[in-house]
Amino acid sequence: DKYGLPVDMDLIKLWDSNKGFASPPEEILKMKNPPTAYFTMHLNITVEMMKLFESAGKRIPDDLSIIGFHAIPTVELWKVPVTVIRQSPYDIGSESAKLLLETISSKSKKTKRIVLPCTFIERNSCGPPPS
């Protein structure tokens, strides 16, 4: 919305840690003009999407690019190491604890927003769109 780009809700697939995807992500690959870049918000989603791409015969990064928003343990052992945006769980926990203690001690009902920096870790899962 900030850049005036339209949001296609058909491209957004909701995922639940207990149930998986609300609707099959394969639908995206079957679209008339499917996207060539994917962004996932959780390790399990990334793994599931990578399996889907492989079973569909898609090559990463030649046919599709993927970026995850999380750290991936042992990513170096993957067939294609995934580019990620990494958060710091330690910093998130530390700041959360500080806010909790501050709220308890001041009995304040005010909310406070803290934005912590992330790190972009470029690996082999991204490339230019196929021609």
Side-chain angles (χ1 to χ4, degrees), residues 8 14 19-20 23 25 48 54 60 67 74-75 81-83 89 106 128-129:
D8 184 346
L14 301 177
K19 300 175 187 173
S23 63
E48 196 165 332
E54 187 167 341
I60 299 171
I67 295 178
T74 66
V75 72
V82 177
T83 297
S106 71

Side-chain angles (χ1 to χ4, degrees), residues 12-112:
I12 298 172
K13 296 297 177 187
L14 301 177
W15 182 84
D16 179 274
S17 60
N18 295 319
K19 300 175 187 173
F21 283 101
S23 63
E26 293 88 350
E27 294 172 355
I28 294 175
L29 292 177
K30 294 176 183 174
M31 296 175 79
K32 182 179 178 183
N33 189 21
T36 60
Y38 295 80
F39 179 74
T40 62
M41 294 294 295
H42 191 276
L43 171 60
N44 292 347
I45 299 171
T46 305
V47 170
E48 196 165 332
M49 293 302 290
M50 298 285 281
K51 288 178 185 176
L52 168 68
F53 297 152
E54 187 167 341
S55 69
K58 301 294 182 182
R59 297 166 302 151
I60 299 171
D62 300 325
D63 300 324
L64 303 170
S65 293
I66 186 167
I67 295 178
F69 188 74
H70 46 73
I72 300 177
T74 66
V75 72
E76 309 80 33
L77 304 176
W78 288 27
K79 185 177 181 180
V80 177
V82 177
T83 297
V84 296
I85 298 171
R86 182 176 61 198
Q87 304 177 82
S88 172
Y90 178 84
D91 291 342
I92 293 170
S94 176
E95 290 300 321
S96 298
K98 287 178 192 174
L99 284 175
L100 178 61
L101 293 172
E102 183 180 305
T103 301
I104 291 170
S105 67
S106 71
K107 299 187 189 315
S108 172
K109 299 292 183 199
K110 290 184 180 180
T111 59
K112 187 175 181 181

